[in-house]
Amino acid sequence: MEERKFNIKHINQTEFFGVGEKNLKFITLLYPTLTITVRAEILTVIGTSKEVDNFSKFFERLSKIYRKEHILDENLIMQAYNEEGLQNVDSGIILYGNKGIAIKARTSNQQKMIDGIEKNDMLFAIGPAGSGKTYTAVALAVKYFKEKRVKRIILTRPAVEAGENLGFLPGDMKEKLDPYLQPLYDALRDMLGQAKLDDYIEHHIIEIAPLAFMRGRTLENSFVILDEAQNTTFSQIKMFLTRMGNYSKFIITGDPSQTDLPDRQSSGLLSVIEKVRQIKGIEVITLTKTDIVRNPLVGKILEAFGE
């Protein structure tokens, strides 16, 4: 067994190890066979030579990140833990979510979404249920926020099932809206954890609201996602697109084959795409049944319905 000591006198231990040593506890989970202790200004690691060497390289990468960010969290720790992620190797990883789980592109079209929003300010992602378009979009929003490239995340979708007239539903406004916005909450919970998500929502860093609430606003320095855009009329989606302010990214997702609009209303999604797809700064990604990452039966069900 080998013992190695690391001088941490130049580190703010509260920033580095977290309140209540939360980050230190997370690091010990990543290296369960090592004995890791902190005494005053010395971090001591005991284990096999190979394990200690691996930890030493990890600690060097982690210290480099800390010097840049002046703070650490689980996502940054996982960046240091995964050397490929730190060196920006093209691994498809978007970010490390709650409890260090890697959120990554699982198909080539999902990777196109990652590349597309990097090069453009507005991106349309259309495709069938289960193709990962919404989940990938939310992951990108969290990534841009964590990297301080935007100040807020705004997620919206039309509450068409209630006609966007929510007054007859029981409960306060949040209780009225939550059933229609639950898929967005689920994705954010995977990436941030419940406590952090609640905190961001409370401080209006993350906003989840129906499309009708976007009218009249200018959305600046934000990553904005319109989900279920097939359930918008032409005028509604036009209204949404013109909310775009400076330093923002917009992703619009939808499945043109699953429109829930009333019989006499037609979806505006595809007609708007045809009008704007040639504009520089806008990209359209079409996902297909080959991108479906749910149970394989989903693809077979859609095929049976001729979609």
Side-chain angles (χ1 to χ4, degrees):
M1 301 293 283
E2 180 178 342
E3 178 181 286
R4 193 169 303 176
K5 297 182 183 294
F6 301 84
N7 191 320
I8 55 174
K9 67 179 181 179
H10 299 300
I11 287 174
N12 180 316
Q13 293 193 27
T14 301
E15 292 179 349
F16 195 87
F17 294 121
V19 177
E21 296 191 332
K22 178 183 176 182
N23 294 339
L24 181 60
K25 292 171 184 175
F26 184 66
I27 291 169
T28 60
L29 291 176
L30 298 177
Y31 292 92
T33 60
L34 291 175
T35 300
I36 305 172
T37 58
V38 176
R39 296 283 186 275
E41 298 175 343
I42 300 295
L43 183 146
T44 304
V45 178
I46 301 173
T48 66
S49 294
K50 183 177 180 180
E51 290 169 334
V52 171
D53 283 343
N54 288 339
F55 181 88
S56 181
K57 294 173 184 176
F58 158 78
F59 190 77
E60 182 179 346
R61 295 193 295 269
L62 190 63
S63 299
K64 182 178 179 181
I65 290 173
Y66 170 72
R67 287 194 296 271
K68 178 182 178 183
E69 302 290 342
H70 302 291
I71 196 70
L72 287 180
D73 57 20
E74 291 181 5
N75 182 56
L76 295 173
I77 292 169
M78 286 304 300
Q79 283 186 31
Y81 183 71
N82 186 296
E83 187 172 2
E84 290 184 349
L86 182 71
Q87 295 176 350
N88 295 317
V89 174
D90 186 15
S91 60
I93 294 175
I94 303 172
L95 78 158
Y96 292 95
N98 189 33
K99 298 180 181 178
I101 297 172
I103 309 294
K104 62 173 68 178
R106 296 173 63 181
T107 71
S108 60
N109 281 326
Q110 290 175 13
Q111 183 63 49
K112 286 180 182 178
M113 289 181 63
I114 298 171
D115 299 336
I117 200 61
E118 185 69 35
K119 299 173 185 175
N120 302 277
D121 288 338
M122 184 177 292
L123 183 143
F124 289 80
I126 58 173
S131 55
K133 54 192 182 295
T134 298
Y135 199 82
T136 302
V138 174
L140 287 165
V142 174
K143 170 185 170 68
Y144 273 62
F145 172 72
K146 283 179 172 283
E147 292 176 353
K148 298 181 174 60
R149 297 164 74 176
V150 296
K151 291 183 178 179
R152 293 186 301 161
I153 296 172
I154 299 174
L155 310 179
T156 185
R157 63 190 303 183
V160 68
E161 298 90 338
E164 298 222 85
N165 180 5
L166 304 169
F168 70 89
L169 294 173
D172 61 20
M173 184 59 70
K174 185 177 186 301
E175 290 169 333
K176 294 174 192 289
L177 297 174
D178 279 356
Y180 305 101
L181 304 172
Q182 197 59 50
L184 302 175
Y185 284 111
D186 291 342
L188 285 167
R189 196 175 294 113
D190 282 353
M191 297 161 202
L192 296 169
Q194 187 66 59
K196 190 170 287 187
L197 173 58
D198 290 344
D199 183 61
Y200 285 154
I201 290 174
E202 181 182 351
H203 291 89
H204 306 292
I205 294 169
I206 293 178
E207 179 183 349
I208 306 175
L211 180 60
F213 284 31
M214 299 297 111
R215 191 173 300 277
R217 300 178 61 182
T218 300
L219 307 175
E220 295 195 333
N221 217 322
S222 303
F223 200 114
V224 187
I225 299 171
L226 170 59
D227 191 36
E228 300 285 355
Q230 78 276 2
N231 288 330
T232 60
T233 63
F234 184 89
S235 61
Q236 285 175 326
I237 194 168
K238 177 184 174 184
M239 176 276 291
F240 172 77
L241 298 183
T242 55
R243 299 307 93 205
M244 190 176 208
N246 294 319
Y247 315 113
S248 288
K249 296 279 187 178
F250 272 39
I251 294 185
I252 300 92
T253 71
D255 178 0
S257 70
Q258 293 196 30
T259 300
D260 298 315
L261 288 165
D263 291 339
R264 287 186 291 275
Q265 285 187 306
S266 59
S267 172
L269 177 60
L270 292 181
S271 54
V272 163
I273 286 175
E274 288 308 308
K275 288 183 177 296
V276 303
R277 70 184 311 155
Q278 300 304 322
I279 298 175
K280 187 177 180 181
I282 297 177
E283 184 165 349
V284 180
I285 306 293
T286 302
L287 296 94
T288 70
K289 64 182 182 181
T290 62
D291 295 293
I292 291 173
V293 293
R294 292 180 185 167
N295 190 299
L297 280 176
V298 174
K300 296 181 186 298
I301 290 168
L302 292 175
E303 193 171 323
F305 280 90
E307 295 178 8

